[in-house]
Amino acid sequence: MPKTKHPILNEYNLLKESFNKNPLASAVTDIIINIHNECQNELKSKQKYILKPGNGTIGKTYFYFSDDKKHSRPVNQALFEDGHQPATDSSGNPVKNQEGLTMTKADCFLHNLKNNTIKAQSADDITSALYAISMEFCCSTDLIASNSQKICGTYFEKLIGHIYSRHLNVAPSSTQYACELDSTSIKIPTDFIFNLGANMPKFDVPVKTSTRERCVEVWAQQRILDGAYGAGRFLGLLTCISEAKMNSESKDHSKWKVDDVCVPNQWINYQLFIAQIKRAYYLDVPNRYDQLNNSFPRIHVKKFGEFFFEWEDLLD
């Protein structure tokens, strides 16, 4: 594969190659660490501009990066900054690397990912660390690439697929075969299926930077799997970054705002009449989707960090 000019995109290409060879390999973590470091360097010199709150984002502060020519997607300030705060252990002491330097929560997460000790951090710290890691790449790519939406979607898919793979110690498949019909295998394309063994449910993990108008695909895929194998055999674990979208139609940048593009009523209808997903995990939980935890039918919308502390209970 020919080299591109920017080191972040070079590492991104290596990530795809390495993940496709072995999604569990520690070499994949090493590449993610390199990308994390490159993205931090890329964003150091970029300006930050605060956005006005819009629909669904009251109580949250978002900003965007700019290099005066292009701008990034919106970033949740509290989550992003928390991911770069010093990591502490259960006693409140700073966590240090082999060189004796204090690690950030993001650095600590990547260290734990490589050493299969993700649960050494709290669910909140895991979530903010992963938010910082994910958004660093997305924002950097928004500024340096022309097709950043596709690149960011693929990067997040490989990142999350690697994390699930390492934690579960299972390599995922991306296609499920429903049945044989007229000597033709009926294929069900998925993002990731994690087979946890005989007589165990399987995790079906759709991965998206955001759902937007495509959210029905998650429930439709769950319905197909339920129809082919029976309800309860595949547990849907939607995993997303955020639903925040910048409204930048005005020429006056000071009037730009950020909205959460959410369709909670549609989610309720999908959960009632199409299929039932087990979890919707977010790094930046939208306020309106968070409210679905308290309505009928209950849709469990949680911070992604909670998965690592509850995944075994999901199998009961």
Side-chain angles (χ1 to χ4, degrees):
M1 180 176 293
K3 290 284 186 179
T4 58
K5 292 183 178 180
H6 202 286
I8 291 174
L9 299 181
N10 288 337
E11 293 290 341
Y12 162 75
N13 287 329
L14 290 174
L15 174 66
K16 291 189 295 181
E17 293 175 3
S18 185
F19 180 91
N20 291 340
K21 289 178 182 176
N22 182 2
L24 286 86
S26 62
V28 178
T29 312
D30 292 334
I31 296 170
I32 293 170
I33 291 171
N34 292 340
I35 291 174
H36 168 59
N37 293 332
E38 290 288 352
C39 289
Q40 287 186 95
N41 290 331
E42 178 67 25
L43 295 175
K44 277 181 181 178
S45 61
K46 303 302 182 285
Q47 295 295 317
K48 297 179 184 178
Y49 297 94
I50 298 296
L51 291 158
K52 292 182 177 298
N55 294 331
T57 59
I58 301 297
K60 296 181 179 181
T61 299
Y62 286 83
F63 69 89
Y64 65 93
F65 289 98
S66 176
D67 61 4
D68 295 329
K69 295 180 181 179
K70 300 178 72 174
H71 61 77
S72 75
R73 65 198 63 200
V75 181
N76 183 314
Q77 185 176 53
L79 279 171
F80 191 80
E81 291 182 353
D82 188 60
H84 290 103
Q85 290 297 308
T88 57
D89 60 22
S90 58
S91 300
N93 300 314
V95 178
K96 298 185 178 183
N97 60 19
Q98 292 181 340
E99 289 74 35
L101 301 175
T102 298
M103 291 193 287
T104 66
K105 293 179 182 180
D107 293 332
C108 188
F109 174 81
L110 293 171
H111 172 82
N112 291 334
L113 175 62
K114 188 172 179 64
N115 291 279
N116 295 312
T117 55
I118 291 176
K119 290 175 67 174
Q121 283 180 292
S122 69
D124 285 347
D125 285 356
I126 291 170
T127 302
S128 61
L130 266 173
Y131 183 82
I133 292 165
S134 301
M135 293 305 294
E136 285 168 355
F137 180 85
C138 291
C139 292
S140 296
T141 308
D142 287 339
L143 299 177
I144 65 174
S146 58
N147 57 338
S148 64
Q149 293 293 334
K150 180 178 180 180
I151 292 174
C152 291
T154 301
Y155 170 77
F156 187 61
E157 178 185 309
K158 304 304 184 188
L159 171 66
I160 294 300
H162 178 59
I163 291 168
Y164 273 105
S165 298
R166 292 283 290 180
H167 187 69
L168 299 173
N169 196 30
V170 174
S173 62
S174 58
T175 301
Q176 196 67 32
Y177 292 89
C179 61
E180 293 285 341
L181 183 64
D182 297 330
S183 301
T184 301
S185 296
I186 306 300
K187 296 180 180 180
I188 306 173
T190 63
D191 285 341
F192 299 116
I193 295 288
F194 292 92
N195 187 342
L196 305 178
N199 301 315
M200 298 283 283
K202 307 178 196 310
F203 287 147
D204 170 37
V205 183
V207 180
K208 302 179 182 297
T209 55
S210 65
T211 58
R212 304 283 157 74
E213 71 279 356
R214 298 172 296 147
C215 63
V216 69
E217 296 175 2
V218 175
W219 279 266
Q221 178 176 295
Q222 184 67 50
R223 176 62 180 268
I224 294 170
L225 291 170
D226 289 348
Y229 297 97
R233 290 291 290 166
F234 289 80
L235 306 181
L237 308 179
L238 172 63
T239 307
C240 301
I241 298 180
S242 173
E243 300 297 348
K245 183 178 181 180
M246 188 189 305
N247 185 337
S248 56
E249 295 177 357
S250 173
K251 293 182 180 179
D252 184 353
H253 290 205
S254 66
K255 294 182 179 179
W256 288 7
K257 64 177 184 177
V258 59
D259 300 314
D260 264 348
V261 183
C262 296
V263 286
N265 289 336
Q266 289 185 26
W267 277 38
I268 290 171
N269 287 333
Y270 299 155
Q271 192 81 349
L272 275 172
F273 302 117
I274 298 180
Q276 293 195 346
I277 63 171
K278 194 72 172 180
R279 290 288 187 271
Y281 289 119
Y282 276 88
L283 299 181
D284 179 12
V285 179
N287 292 332
R288 286 185 286 175
Y289 286 161
D290 187 45
Q291 295 170 8
L292 296 177
N293 286 290
N294 303 313
S295 62
F296 182 84
R298 193 180 306 280
I299 303 176
H300 298 279
V301 182
K302 296 191 173 187
K303 298 176 181 178
F304 179 53
E306 296 186 39
F307 165 77
F308 303 95
F309 300 91
E310 69 170 5
W311 73 273
E312 291 173 302
D313 294 333
L314 298 179
L315 302 176
D316 292 339

